[in-house]
Amino acid sequence: MKKFHLILDYKMLSFWLEKIKKNSIFAFRLTTNSMDIFSNEIIGISFSTILDDTAVYLPLAHDYKGVPKQLDTNFVLKHLKPLFENVKIYKIGQNIKEQILILKNYNIEINNIFDINIESYVLNNLLSKCDLVGLSRIWLKTYEINYFENIFNKFKNQNNFSKVPLDITASYLCENVNIILMLHLIMWNKIKKDLQLKKILTKIEIPMIKVLACIERNGVFIDQKFLLEKSRLININLNNLKLQAHKISGNEFNLSSPKQIRDILYNIKEIDITRKTPRGNLSTSYEVLSKLKSNHPLLKIILEYRSLLKLKSAYIDKLISMINHTSYRIHTSYQQSLTVTGRLSSVSPNIQNIPLENHYDIFIRKAFIAKKFSKIISADYSQIELRIIAHLSQDQNLLSAFNNKEDIHYSTAAEFFDLPIDKINSKQRRIAKTINFSLIYGISPFGLAYKLNINIKQAKEYIDIFFNRYPRVLEYIRSTYQSAMDKGYIKTLEGRKLYIYKNKKLGNLMHNKSIERTAINFQVQGTAAEIIKKSMIHIDSWLKNKDKHEIKMIMQLHDELVFEIHDNYIERYIKKIKFFMEHSANLYPPLLVRISIGLNWHDIHLQNI
């Protein structure tokens, strides 16, 4: 293990600042006392350089009996600001987006960054879900990791580092940044030898870190009164359902307890549950009870109770608890390196999982509102995956449909439901959308029959109709599968690779279909992910010269970007947004973006722009 030093006075701070500057590269990690995006206090900072065998820890807010005197945080950050903002010095971190958000509270920008999680993700997106220990075992195969895993166990019950002795903290965190720096040097050496991977990392994934940090800090304004009222009304409904269930069954029981529900249903002769759980108990899952709900009124009440309870606890109450007390907004955290395809995901909360609608007419997206004198603007790529398929396959019928400005899903719905296109409603279009993507991504006749609740013969007929209409799409699917099998990987348009696992023992139709689905899904979804990321980077660069009171980029989900724009600037700015998004990739057919405007995220209306 490298040696480490503590910085406890200005003389030592000056010495190490000069030493770090001479290296032109350093790894660092901030430790804080809170996860709050606006109020976390920096407990200390660790640094590692490459010119010698030393790392250093700079404590700032350790607080325990006998702790040595530490330098003032504002004084230290004033001297660190030029270092972090220096564009000629590389800063290496892990989850560096969090460090960017922390230092933003101190008016410090971090320039010229690398993140080892993103580097590992670019090299192999199947290895992305690793902590520092996991990454070390993959890339530092000879590194002794036991010390790193066990050193902090003694203090694992502490809420933060401020109560941990300096020598223990310094030892752990200096080891941490040493590993981060070593990992970067190894992975960057591999990446820069592949020009496509280097471009993906430096032109897309690294710039995206700052874009996401900005979106997270902007946050989304939430109508708390709306959510509180919906929560209150659901509570009333839940209580009424509970009383109805007790009256019907003749017993009081907990409607959230599978065991108590099982005991109640066992004695009702009209309800014959045959499916069992892995432990041998009768199953009371949603799927099982839904099939039997017409047999007894109690089942419908139990199912409705469960649905309402989930809506309340998983969405409404959770959103209320996540409203920041400083900004009155929610600040989701975007995960850049979790999905195989390159798509972004989000947590705390997962905004991409918030339902568009439900059968209780409780539209949660109504709570996502704009501030006074502003509107919510949604910019959504129109049928981007089908456009990518058309570009890759160059199927003439599909290209003609787009050139004629047809909606492919409406055309499919018209044929499937045997109705004129102008008679197709939004629900039927959603079903058609499911059909189209199911076929493109390689669903079997059996799978399509199950999904649409039709017989297998009908499913086969529909598959034949689809591929007869779009024959080059079928050729594209087959050639992409063969390329993946031959090369052992598949690539997006930008060159990101997914390595295909071929199991010779499973060389059957099912295994081949799985590889086919994986290859098509990755190429199409991965390309779509790259397109919207490039759009976000261009828009973020443009927004740097704009006042945040005029416009903010506040959310990204799937193929949609969401903005909050002041009423005075809407017409001017949406034209720029549309331009950036539609020109982020050269596809034939060209990209199309639809703009919607409203007072909240649910009540947005399509604008012809």
Side-chain angles (χ1 to χ4, degrees):
M1 176 186 167
K2 286 187 176 185
K3 296 175 288 185
F4 69 86
H5 293 278
L6 288 169
I7 297 178
L8 294 171
D9 56 51
Y10 176 69
K11 183 178 179 181
M12 185 68 81
L13 176 64
S14 299
F15 172 79
W16 278 100
L17 282 177
E18 288 303 314
K19 197 168 187 175
I20 292 170
K21 287 176 187 176
K22 290 177 182 177
N23 279 267
S24 74
I25 181 172
F26 67 89
F28 77 102
R29 175 179 167 179
L30 307 175
T31 56
T32 65
N33 67 345
S34 167
M35 296 298 290
D36 188 291
I37 195 170
F38 295 111
S39 62
N40 43 28
E41 179 186 20
I42 299 175
I43 303 299
I45 313 173
S46 50
F47 298 93
S48 179
T49 61
I50 60 175
L51 287 184
D52 54 33
D53 200 36
T54 310
V56 63
Y57 180 61
L58 171 56
L60 296 172
H62 283 259
D63 181 22
Y64 59 87
K65 187 176 181 180
V67 65
K69 185 178 179 181
Q70 299 152 80
L71 290 170
D72 177 72
T73 298
N74 291 326
F75 171 83
V76 167
L77 293 177
K78 180 181 177 181
H79 286 80
L80 289 179
K81 181 178 170 72
L83 178 70
F84 281 117
E85 296 185 346
N86 191 319
V87 295
K88 296 181 178 179
I89 300 176
Y90 293 99
K91 296 90 185 175
I92 318 302
Q94 183 184 29
N95 299 321
I96 205 167
K97 175 163 60 71
E98 295 176 5
Q99 323 289 305
I100 291 171
L101 288 167
I102 294 166
L103 290 176
K104 188 71 175 176
N105 292 330
Y106 299 90
N107 194 31
I108 296 175
E109 298 284 342
I110 311 179
N111 293 315
N112 214 356
I113 58 174
F114 280 93
D115 188 307
I116 59 168
N117 282 2
I118 304 302
E119 289 176 294
S120 178
Y121 182 60
V122 168
L123 280 169
N124 189 336
N125 44 21
L126 297 177
L127 302 178
S128 61
K129 302 172 186 177
C130 294
D131 57 13
L132 197 57
V133 175
L135 290 176
S136 300
R137 286 175 173 161
I138 293 165
W139 302 106
L140 304 175
K141 293 181 174 60
T142 60
Y143 193 79
E144 176 55 53
I145 203 71
N146 290 331
Y147 177 78
F148 172 74
E149 287 180 311
N150 298 326
I151 189 171
F152 208 56
N153 284 352
K154 181 179 178 182
F155 300 95
K156 63 184 178 182
N157 293 322
Q158 293 290 350
N159 291 327
N160 58 62
F161 282 91
S162 65
K163 304 299 181 183
V164 179
L166 290 187
D167 59 335
I168 299 293
T169 304
S171 176
Y172 171 77
L173 293 177
C174 287
E175 184 74 352
N176 190 294
V177 288
N178 283 338
I179 295 171
I180 289 172
L181 187 54
M182 284 189 283
L183 285 167
H184 163 71
L185 295 173
I186 290 171
M187 290 189 287
W188 174 239
N189 190 50
K190 293 178 181 293
I191 290 170
K192 66 185 180 182
K193 293 175 182 177
D194 185 320
L195 293 181
Q196 283 187 316
L197 289 186
K198 182 181 177 183
K199 180 184 176 183
I200 290 167
L201 179 70
T202 59
K203 301 299 183 183
I204 298 178
E205 296 300 343
I206 292 299
M208 271 300 295
I209 296 172
K210 282 194 171 186
V211 175
L212 295 177
C214 183
I215 294 174
E216 289 180 21
R217 188 174 177 85
N218 287 340
V220 190
F221 198 62
I222 297 295
D223 187 342
Q224 187 171 357
K225 289 183 179 178
F226 172 85
L227 291 177
L228 287 170
E229 176 62 12
K230 295 302 179 186
S231 182
R232 185 186 71 82
L233 292 175
I234 290 176
N235 264 338
I236 294 172
N237 286 336
L238 288 172
N239 189 55
N240 289 337
L241 289 169
K242 183 169 65 174
L243 293 175
Q244 290 177 47
H246 294 169
K247 184 177 180 180
I248 291 172
S249 66
N251 293 283
E252 290 192 7
F253 65 99
N254 184 353
L255 273 72
S256 299
S257 168
K259 182 181 183 303
Q260 292 187 35
I261 290 175
R262 194 160 51 241
D263 293 342
I264 291 291
L265 299 184
Y266 183 78
N267 295 314
I268 300 176
K269 64 180 181 179
E270 295 92 341
I271 303 174
D272 183 19
I273 298 175
T274 56
R275 184 181 294 186
K276 294 188 176 183
T277 67
R279 293 187 175 184
N281 297 316
L282 294 178
S283 174
T284 59
S285 68
Y286 176 85
E287 183 182 2
V288 170
L289 298 190
S290 293
K291 290 180 179 179
L292 298 172
K293 66 181 180 182
S294 60
N295 294 6
H296 199 279
L298 181 59
L299 295 181
K300 186 177 179 181
I301 291 173
I302 292 172
L303 289 169
E304 188 172 354
Y305 183 92
R306 284 181 177 177
S307 296
L308 272 176
L309 186 63
K310 181 179 179 180
L311 186 65
K312 180 179 184 297
S313 60
Y315 298 110
I316 295 176
D317 291 351
K318 196 168 187 179
L319 281 175
I320 293 171
S321 71
M322 289 182 175
I323 297 173
N324 187 279
H325 297 303
T326 302
S327 66
Y328 301 102
R329 294 170 176 258
I330 59 166
H331 301 270
T332 187
S333 177
Y334 288 95
Q335 308 298 295
Q336 196 176 341
S337 60
L338 285 185
T339 67
V340 171
T341 60
R343 291 282 198 181
L344 297 172
S345 58
S346 75
V347 295
S348 302
N350 180 359
I351 59 169
Q352 298 178 342
N353 201 35
I354 292 174
L356 182 63
E357 58 185 37
N358 55 73
H359 62 279
Y360 302 107
D361 290 336
I362 299 173
F363 303 116
I364 299 172
R365 292 188 179 197
K366 281 180 176 283
F368 290 66
I369 61 175
K371 65 181 183 182
K372 196 173 181 181
F373 306 121
S374 296
K375 298 289 189 301
I376 294 292
I377 312 296
S378 167
D380 195 2
Y381 279 112
S382 173
Q383 303 179 68
I384 187 171
E385 292 171 41
L386 287 174
R387 289 174 187 274
I388 292 169
I389 288 283
H391 174 83
L392 293 170
S393 69
Q394 286 298 293
D395 183 276
Q396 291 306 307
N397 290 334
L398 198 52
L399 291 172
S400 296
F402 281 120
N403 290 336
N404 295 331
K405 298 183 179 180
E406 294 177 20
D407 185 303
I408 309 299
H409 303 316
Y410 273 116
S411 299
T412 298
E415 185 160 354
F416 185 75
F417 292 105
D418 194 23
L419 291 171
I421 285 181
D422 60 357
K423 299 295 182 182
I424 299 298
N425 59 38
S426 59
K427 183 178 180 181
Q428 290 167 327
R429 183 187 181 276
R430 280 198 297 275
I431 293 171
K433 184 177 180 180
T434 300
I435 295 169
N436 286 337
F437 287 125
S438 296
L439 296 179
I440 286 168
Y441 293 132
I443 198 169
S444 66
F446 176 83
L448 185 64
Y450 179 80
K451 186 171 279 192
L452 300 178
N453 196 25
I454 59 178
N455 62 52
I456 294 178
K457 183 181 178 182
Q458 286 177 298
K460 284 180 179 178
E461 287 175 356
Y462 192 78
I463 291 172
D464 290 340
I465 291 171
F466 182 90
F467 287 120
N468 285 334
R469 186 193 300 163
Y470 306 121
R472 291 289 297 274
V473 172
L474 183 58
E475 290 178 25
Y476 158 72
I477 291 171
R478 288 172 175 169
S479 64
T480 302
Y481 162 75
Q482 193 58 53
S483 176
M485 294 294 286
D486 293 342
K487 296 178 181 178
Y489 63 83
I490 191 69
K491 292 202 300 186
T492 62
L493 285 184
E494 291 289 341
R496 187 194 300 271
K497 295 178 182 177
L498 173 70
Y499 291 93
I500 302 295
Y501 173 68
K502 292 181 287 186
N503 190 332
K504 294 180 180 179
K505 294 180 180 179
L506 294 177
N508 54 31
L509 179 61
M510 229 173 158
H511 182 58
N512 293 343
K513 274 290 183 183
S514 175
I515 292 177
E516 182 183 283
R517 285 193 298 270
T518 300
I520 302 301
N521 184 65
F522 174 76
Q523 190 166 67
V524 175
Q525 294 274 347
T527 296
E530 290 166 350
I531 289 171
I532 198 163
K533 284 178 178 178
K534 288 165 68 177
S535 296
M536 294 169 74
I537 292 166
H538 293 147
I539 291 171
D540 180 75
S541 179
W542 167 66
L543 289 178
K544 289 188 187 305
N545 298 319
K546 299 289 180 287
D547 190 320
K548 285 191 179 292
H549 293 292
E550 297 176 7
I551 179 172
K552 294 184 182 79
M553 185 158 45
I554 58 174
M555 285 190 290
Q556 188 279 338
L557 64 162
H558 311 304
D559 304 317
E560 176 186 13
L561 296 180
V562 183
F563 301 83
E564 182 183 288
I565 305 180
H566 192 281
D567 293 339
N568 294 341
Y569 300 92
I570 289 174
E571 186 176 349
R572 185 194 317 174
Y573 287 165
I574 57 179
K575 290 178 181 178
K576 292 290 290 185
I577 291 167
K578 186 176 171 69
F579 175 84
F580 282 124
M581 293 180 71
E582 290 182 344
H583 291 81
S584 59
N586 293 319
L587 295 187
Y588 182 70
L591 295 166
L592 177 66
V593 170
R594 299 191 181 278
I595 302 292
S596 303
I597 302 174
L599 293 172
N600 59 65
W601 191 20
H602 179 269
D603 297 335
I604 52 178
H605 304 284
L606 189 65
Q607 306 292 306
N608 294 315
I609 297 168

